[in-house]
Amino acid sequence: MTFQGSGPLDTSGVSAGGGGGGGRIAMGGGLGLVVTVVALLFGVNPGDIMGGSGSTGSQQVSADQSELQERIDSCTTIEQANSDDVCRLIATKNSLNDVWPTLMNGYTDPDMKIFSGSINTGCGAASSAMGPFYCPSDETAYFDPSFFQELTRMGGSDGPLAQEYVVAHEFGHHVENLTGVLAKGQRMGNDGSVRIELQADCLAGVWAQHADDGPDAMLAPLTDDQIASVIQTAKAIGDDTIQGSGSNPEGWTHGSARQRQRWFTTGYESGDPSRCDTFATDDL
């Protein structure tokens, strides 16, 4: 359990989606398909790399979207977030939108779209193969709940806080979008991408530090084991872990396992967003 209390969940700004193009990955940089797909996990802007092609059966898309919307609508209490992945996504959004206004002037709530298969976004057509992502054009974070099963197969934790870290990372990109860091990093190629991703990991750690503060906090006091589940997940999705022994740091887009663990820990231990300035150091 990570969420506490029996109060209501706020589902405003959360909706089901689907029906985008087939979500063809536009390969580039000499990367193979598997590496390209995995490197996009927790990516920033699918419009830069996606091209809509193919089609999805409209009846199936409609059925999937309807089912997901029913699941969203059924998430009425915080308690449900401890047993249902969709409700956990929503509860984490609620918690993030409680915490970030206390840490950042001018914070605005992003939208959340929960989808299956493929979806049209402000950044282009996207596929579940991308994993979770944030689109700055429509200020929306996108999640296919089936990603959590894939994350476990990759060696990540199936613990609830590890799933919440995924959401908090994407909301970290929203914070970066609001501060202008996201646009800055996107102009810098792979090095900028790594710094963006590590900063989002750090900002996720900042949220975790504050999310269980006070008697009205949505999260119960976090345990060492829960934080370890996030560290395990950060390690599993490091570029060097994913790419294996032939990994080339010059081709990294998200940072090594050590870097991802380090920056989440920096955010968690400090609770200070100013400690997350990955653009101010050469020691990532």
Side-chain angles (χ1 to χ4, degrees):
M1 182 185 79
T2 53
F3 287 96
Q4 62 183 357
S6 57
L9 283 178
D10 180 4
T11 59
S12 62
V14 182
S15 60
R24 178 176 57 86
I25 298 290
M27 298 172 61
L31 298 176
L33 176 60
V34 174
V35 174
T36 301
V37 171
V38 175
L40 295 176
L41 298 178
F42 296 179
V44 176
N45 187 343
D48 290 342
I49 51 176
M50 297 297 296
S53 69
S55 60
T56 305
S58 59
Q59 290 183 339
Q60 183 61 49
V61 167
S62 178
D64 290 346
Q65 186 170 345
S66 176
E67 179 182 349
L68 281 171
Q69 190 61 55
E70 288 178 3
R71 290 184 65 185
I72 292 168
D73 293 340
S74 74
C75 293
T76 57
T77 67
I78 294 173
E79 292 172 318
Q80 293 170 278
N82 290 316
S83 59
D84 184 279
D85 288 352
V86 169
C87 298
R88 187 175 295 119
L89 288 169
I90 296 168
T92 308
K93 178 182 186 292
N94 286 189
S95 175
L96 284 153
N97 288 338
D98 284 345
V99 168
W100 273 111
T102 70
L103 302 174
M104 175 188 178
N105 291 329
Y107 178 82
T108 58
D109 298 354
D111 288 334
M112 173 181 283
K113 190 80 76 171
I114 300 173
F115 74 101
S116 176
S118 60
I119 190 168
N120 287 321
T121 81
C123 298
S127 154
S128 296
M130 294 181 60
F133 60 90
Y134 170 76
C135 172
S137 296
D138 56 20
E139 296 191 352
T140 300
Y142 292 83
F143 302 90
D144 183 330
S146 67
F147 169 75
F148 296 123
Q149 299 173 17
E150 180 61 29
L151 184 62
T152 303
R153 286 193 289 268
M154 292 169 62
S157 170
D158 62 356
L161 189 64
Q163 294 184 6
E164 293 152 29
Y165 154 65
V166 171
V167 182
H169 176 103
E170 298 308 331
F171 274 57
H173 287 317
H174 178 63
V175 171
E176 293 171 327
N177 189 36
L178 295 176
T179 62
V181 167
L182 193 59
K184 174 183 176 180
Q186 288 177 319
R187 294 191 295 266
M188 295 172 59
N190 281 8
D191 180 65
S193 175
V194 168
R195 292 175 189 273
I196 285 172
E197 298 300 332
L198 295 179
Q199 185 169 127
D201 281 337
C202 185
L203 295 173
V206 169
W207 162 78
Q209 173 57 239
H210 294 279
D212 61 354
D213 287 348
D216 297 325
M218 289 185 65
L219 264 66
L222 298 179
T223 67
D224 290 344
D225 285 346
Q226 288 171 331
I227 295 301
S229 75
V230 176
I231 299 299
Q232 173 188 341
T233 300
K235 179 179 179 180
I237 55 178
D239 282 327
D240 53 342
T241 305
I242 292 170
Q243 297 176 15
S245 59
S247 179
N248 176 14
E250 292 183 0
W252 290 353
T253 57
H254 290 65
S256 69
R258 181 191 65 81
Q259 290 170 329
R260 299 201 72 162
Q261 293 173 82
R262 173 189 175 187
W263 282 98
F264 172 82
T265 302
T266 295
Y268 180 68
E269 291 182 347
S270 70
D272 182 358
S274 69
R275 295 286 302 277
C276 297
D277 189 356
T278 54
F279 289 84
T281 179
D282 290 327
D283 181 21
L284 293 176

